[in-house]
Amino acid sequence: MANHEAEREAAVEKALAALDLDARCRLLAGQDMWTLSAIPEIGLDSLVMSDGPIGVRGVHWSPEDPSIALPSPTALAATWDPALARRAGQLLAQEARRKGVHMLLAPTLNLHRSPLGGRHFECYSEDPLLTGTVGAAYVTGVQEGGVAATPKHFVANDSETDRFTVDVRVSQRALHELYLAPFQAVVEQAGPWALMAAYNSVNGTTMTEHGALQNDILRARWGFDGAIVSDWTAARDTVGAASGGLDIAMPGPRSVFGSTLAEAVRAGRVPAETVERMTRHMLRLAARVGVLADAPPVVAADALPAPIDGEALAHAIAQRSIVLLRNENDVLPLGRVRRIAVIGQAADQARALGGGSAQVFPPHTVSPLEGLRALLDEQTEVVYAVGADPRIKIPPAKAGFDLRVNLFGADGNPLGEHPLPEGSIEWIGEFPDGIAVGELHRVVVTGTFTPRVTGTHTLAIAGVGPFQLTVGDKTYFDEAIVPDGDPVAAFLAPPEVRIEVELDAAQPVSVILRHTVTMLPDMPIAFEKFALGHQEPNIDPDALIEEAVAAAAAADIAVVVVATTAEVESESFDRTSLSLPGRQDELVTRVITANPRTVVVVNTGSPVQMPWAQDAAAILLTWFPGQEGGAALADVLVGRAEPSGRLPTTWPAQQDDSPVLNVTPTKGVLAYEEGIYIGYRAWQRHSTAPPFWFGHGLGYTTWEYEAATFTPATGSILGTLTVRVRNTGDRPGRETIQTYIAHARQPDRRLAAFAAVEAESGATVEAAIPIPRRAAESWDETTENWVLPTTSYDLLTGRSVADIRLTTTIQLEGPHA
């Protein structure tokens, strides 16, 4: 790949010199929700951004242009496979180019500090090295595709409660060793072209104004030369943000930058040189992605990676990410079975992805039930039972519904029409077809519903404002839904009204839901969220469980799929409990009693309690596995693929056992009192051991760790550890070799490096694993630098942080504290 850095910088300086103050400031504010302004006079096209941790939604929150939905970031981390993460990045860049997107707002590098964090499915891990390694590979892949990656949320945005205003108080040592570490790794290893500043404050200063972290650490110390963009609406003060290192304030058109910034410069409150520097960063970003004339993009069109099959990659990641926690008596992989009982609402209606910024509209989703039915031959009978529905609210209308959404202005003129795959509207930041805030007046959902059964069906309206629901020739609801309490919270989690309707099976009936758009006062962005829900005639919950138990008892093996729901695990709120919602734990316990050969599939983005764990024959974790998750799970269940995932986060037995739980600020402050001891670092000092440690994961073969030898080096690498392992099982396998480091003054081990190997049955294989110097270092708060606390270390190599097979003592040379 040719290096045209000098040409790009020359084009940037030429464009910068041609811009007056007002034009410069206009470029630093969002033009709208997802774009920056174009300036044709200097050959600058509009730069387009999109959410995109697991898929590229584009600028329209609409299912009309589907997006490949990869497994969640936690799933990607569970692969412990940087090469696969790089491929994921390349695929997402391919999707971004298809949708005209230049800048992907991902990856999320915040840590799993507490298992109660509500957005952990969008983050990688509790460990900074694993997070940084996977994140750097992802960023590399995205930018190899000519699209800017935007690591976020810088920094310490590790929970959701009061995330807009919370002040995180954290020691400098913990800040550098844990929370800054993944960002530093990504900046130094992958060179991202952009980075997102978080909502929260750190030690008293809001991040969009945090000069000590953005100017001094990120830019001066680490060498970041890209553009810093705010999280949406996070920039609050013009002077503070400009002087604190922020370059771009999103979204627009209302912004603390733009004309407001120009006025601050003319008033002498912001130096013109500061705006010049900010604009240079923005233009450099534009040059790199190819929207600035005379600036060769970093990746030329003929140098892009070869096209990637998105469905195949989604399948591969989902397959590789599955963690086998338990497998008693080798119940997995499944042998020849006559009848298999598949149980659980989540088996039939899969939760493929998390909510909020991670949401995309995939072309299809393969459920576990569909995956198994497609893979098993006709000699195996698959029996399905719901067992228990964990959802609190009635789910959006889908099965049997054929719906469209029509948009109208205040004068009744039509503004647009779109298909609606399910009865859910969620437009954040922009209405479809570019309809402006204030222009959209009414949304009408129309279509037909063909019931599967006769009886009393329940329809639900979840939303805020005036609604009218008509089924057939009768209007069942016509009034405004008024929220109690915080109106913002009501828009994010709207109240629900239920209506009962008598319907006959196989008899189509028309359905019309009219809604008058209700905007919050002074809302800076477009926002509309409501749903038409449907539930079939009620069945006694006890009867559902009894039906599942009977199905399990009559089967050779039972597969129960349990999951969290968007009501308990999603963006914008933290979890209050690690229990599975609804009666799912009861369901699992009853099924295990009826059939000891029960496999439990747990589909969550982060840990849950499993009170039945020691009784289950096998437990698999699937991490919101994307659109192909059901097919990948089926492959693993029948043994076409091995479950080679490893835990990226420690799983406790009970919520109260967890050493770090606090995610709720006190008087606006969230104190990280645990210091550097989160995740497995904290568990090593805890009185109760977790059942499933960081790094744990079984496979379908066994491994013997035969030897480890260390060859010293200098510079940023301490040396290379060569590890020899042998596949002692009867089938091919993949093993993730993990090396932890411990030293005399601080015996707690922490991840130093890892590598994966593959070998046939009986074969021996070696892995040469570089050990970075940073793995041995600690942050010294007095000197404000990295130091070696000692020169004597143990390298502990094995299958998890608690399953060490080989110990190698090393002696280092050089200064130490």
Side-chain angles (χ1 to χ4, degrees):
M1 183 184 299
N3 187 345
H4 297 285
E5 188 68 28
E7 293 176 64
R8 276 191 297 276
E9 287 300 304
V12 167
E13 294 304 321
K14 178 183 177 182
L16 184 61
L19 297 173
D20 61 18
L21 175 64
D22 291 309
R24 291 178 178 184
C25 293
R26 186 166 72 252
L27 285 180
L28 305 178
Q31 174 178 242
D32 50 34
M33 183 67 175
W34 301 112
T35 71
L36 299 179
S37 296
I39 301 184
E41 295 82 1
I42 63 169
L44 178 67
D45 294 333
S46 178
L47 189 147
V48 180
M49 309 176 191
S50 172
D51 282 328
I54 57 100
V56 184
R57 188 173 57 245
V59 298
H60 298 300
W61 207 292
S62 167
E64 285 200 303
D65 184 12
S67 308
I68 294 293
L70 298 178
S72 72
T74 304
L76 192 59
T79 70
W80 290 59
D81 189 341
L84 206 52
R86 184 173 176 178
R87 290 280 289 167
Q90 291 174 343
L91 182 276
L92 293 174
Q94 176 180 300
E95 283 279 278
R97 294 193 308 273
R98 180 177 67 81
K99 294 198 172 199
V101 169
H102 308 108
M103 182 173 167
L104 198 63
L105 304 174
T108 301
L109 300 180
N110 304 114
L111 297 184
H112 294 185
R113 171 181 167 265
S114 163
L116 291 176
R119 198 176 180 181
H120 282 346
F121 58 85
E122 199 179 312
C123 310
Y124 290 124
S125 168
E126 69 187 23
D127 181 79
L129 186 141
L130 179 59
T131 295
T133 302
V134 174
Y138 177 104
V139 169
T140 297
V142 171
Q143 296 188 167
E144 284 174 338
V147 174
T150 314
K152 61 183 186 180
H153 310 85
F154 190 73
V155 61
N157 183 185
D158 309 295
S159 54
E160 294 293 282
T161 304
D162 297 342
R163 63 174 176 159
F164 295 98
T165 58
V166 62
D167 180 14
V168 172
R169 301 291 173 86
V170 56
S171 71
Q172 289 300 309
R173 183 181 177 191
L175 186 61
H176 283 268
E177 292 189 18
L178 295 180
Y179 304 104
L180 289 172
F183 288 94
Q184 182 176 3
V186 169
V187 167
E188 294 178 349
Q189 296 173 28
W193 303 338
L195 187 140
M196 183 185 291
Y199 290 118
N200 57 283
S201 297
V202 173
N203 295 330
T205 304
T206 190
M207 277 308 306
T208 52
E209 303 171 20
H210 212 307
L213 291 177
Q214 296 186 144
N215 293 329
D216 301 344
I217 297 296
L218 179 60
R219 291 198 184 278
R221 191 155 192 150
W222 299 349
F224 176 73
D225 67 352
I228 302 177
V229 61
S230 73
D231 204 341
W232 267 225
T233 73
R236 301 172 177 90
D237 180 81
T238 301
V239 176
S243 62
L246 190 70
D247 298 310
I248 301 169
M250 292 295 292
R254 293 168 56 182
S255 172
V256 299
F257 288 169
S259 59
T260 305
L261 178 59
E263 293 171 5
V265 174
R266 292 189 174 101
R269 294 184 293 123
V270 174
E273 294 79 8
T274 298
V275 171
E276 179 180 321
R277 182 178 66 250
M278 296 161 65
T279 310
R280 180 177 291 110
H281 295 154
M282 181 273 155
L283 291 172
R284 182 178 294 143
L285 169 63
R288 285 170 167 167
V289 301
V291 297
L292 180 64
D294 302 324
V298 173
V299 183
D302 59 0
L304 293 168
I308 296 173
D309 183 330
E311 289 186 8
L313 183 60
H315 188 127
I317 295 172
Q319 196 177 80
R320 185 70 60 77
S321 71
I322 294 174
V323 177
L324 179 60
L325 287 186
R326 179 178 170 87
N327 192 20
E328 294 301 295
N329 301 317
D330 294 330
V331 68
L332 292 178
L334 299 175
R336 170 65 64 183
V337 292
R338 178 181 55 83
R339 179 183 294 169
I340 180 171
V342 180
I343 295 167
Q345 180 269 341
D348 181 39
Q349 300 181 39
R351 187 176 186 194
L353 46 86
S357 300
Q359 182 183 355
V360 295
F361 301 94
H364 62 263
T365 299
V366 181
S367 71
L369 182 60
E370 290 171 326
L372 273 171
R373 281 178 169 164
L375 193 59
L376 295 173
D377 59 36
E378 59 186 18
Q379 297 179 32
T380 302
E381 180 185 4
V382 179
V383 178
Y384 172 67
V386 173
D389 188 336
R391 294 169 297 195
I392 299 169
K393 291 184 177 179
I394 291 178
K398 190 171 185 179
F401 284 82
D402 182 12
L403 302 174
R404 298 189 66 82
V405 59
N406 298 269
L407 313 174
F408 299 92
D411 58 359
N413 60 307
L415 302 176
E417 180 182 356
H418 303 274
L420 198 63
E422 64 178 32
S424 178
I425 297 290
E426 187 171 350
W427 301 322
I428 300 176
E430 186 175 47
F431 295 136
D433 301 318
I435 298 170
V437 176
E439 186 179 3
L440 181 63
H441 178 69
R442 179 175 290 186
V443 179
V444 181
V445 175
T446 63
T448 60
F449 171 47
T450 305
R452 293 190 291 186
V453 295
T454 297
T456 304
H457 290 251
T458 302
L459 298 178
I461 304 169
V464 174
F467 289 91
Q468 182 188 76
L469 175 65
T470 301
V471 181
D473 57 2
K474 181 178 179 181
T475 296
Y476 285 83
F477 185 86
D478 189 3
E479 58 185 277
I481 300 176
V482 180
D484 293 327
D486 182 0
V488 175
F491 269 79
L492 292 171
E496 178 186 72
V497 173
R498 300 185 180 191
I499 302 102
E500 293 186 344
V501 182
E502 295 292 331
L503 297 173
D504 295 325
Q507 298 298 311
V509 62
S510 64
V511 177
I512 303 175
L513 178 63
R514 298 178 175 89
H515 171 57
T516 302
V517 174
T518 303
M519 295 291 293
L520 289 174
D522 300 322
M523 179 170 280
I525 60 176
F527 190 102
E528 187 62 48
K529 181 174 181 177
F530 69 89
L532 169 65
H534 169 253
Q535 181 174 281
E536 290 190 331
N538 286 333
I539 299 175
D540 182 358
D542 291 331
L544 289 178
I545 291 181
E546 294 300 335
E547 178 188 15
V549 169
D556 299 311
I557 195 162
V559 176
V560 185
V561 184
V562 295
T564 54
T565 68
E567 297 162 316
V568 300
E569 187 180 10
S570 190
E571 182 179 343
S572 80
F573 57 87
D574 288 311
R575 299 160 73 194
T576 58
S577 171
L578 297 188
S579 295
L580 286 166
R583 298 175 65 179
Q584 292 182 103
D585 284 328
E586 178 187 351
L587 172 67
V588 173
T589 300
R590 293 285 307 280
V591 169
I592 290 173
T593 300
N595 189 335
R597 288 172 53 82
T598 293
V599 178
V600 185
V601 179
V602 181
N603 184 27
T604 66
S606 50
V608 292
Q609 296 173 170
M610 298 181 291
W612 34 261
Q614 295 306 308
D615 299 317
I619 302 173
L620 291 163
L621 308 182
T622 58
W623 314 108
F624 301 161
Q627 67 179 59
E628 307 299 322
L633 174 63
D635 285 344
V636 167
L637 287 170
V638 304
R640 287 181 54 174
E642 182 184 33
S644 57
R646 301 293 183 262
L647 283 181
T649 292
T650 303
W651 278 48
Q654 299 290 332
Q655 176 174 322
D656 292 343
D657 292 343
S658 301
V660 180
L661 282 174
N662 184 25
V663 293
T664 303
T666 301
K667 296 182 178 179
V669 171
L670 182 59
Y672 286 14
E673 296 176 346
E674 69 281 352
I676 65 169
Y677 296 104
I678 69 168
Y680 67 87
R681 301 177 186 221
W683 281 102
Q684 292 176 92
R685 295 180 162 221
H686 204 47
S687 58
T688 303
F692 304 110
W693 283 89
F694 175 83
H696 172 71
L698 306 175
Y700 289 160
T701 188
T702 55
W703 296 87
E704 180 180 343
Y705 281 61
E706 295 185 336
T709 57
F710 180 75
T711 303
T714 58
S716 62
I717 301 297
L718 292 177
T720 299
L721 186 72
T722 302
V723 181
R724 186 173 73 247
V725 297
R726 183 164 58 93
N727 181 350
T728 56
D730 58 4
R731 59 178 286 160
R734 177 184 176 88
E735 175 73 342
T736 298
I737 300 170
Q738 305 165 39
T739 296
Y740 298 83
I741 193 165
H743 57 71
R745 292 190 196 176
Q746 182 184 309
D748 314 302
R749 61 194 63 165
R750 59 187 180 187
L751 185 66
F754 59 92
V757 295
E758 296 182 2
E760 296 294 323
S761 172
T764 298
V765 64
E766 286 188 344
I769 308 174
I771 308 297
R773 183 180 181 88
R774 179 57 49 82
E777 293 178 325
S778 295
W779 182 260
D780 186 280
E781 295 185 348
T782 301
T783 63
E784 297 184 353
N785 214 332
W786 294 96
V787 299
L788 286 175
T790 182
T791 56
S792 180
Y793 293 85
D794 285 335
L795 297 178
L796 309 165
T797 303
R799 308 198 72 247
S800 78
V801 68
D803 185 359
I804 301 301
R805 305 295 179 88
L806 299 170
T807 299
T808 309
T809 300
I810 62 174
Q811 194 71 31
L812 305 179
E813 296 181 359
H816 60 278

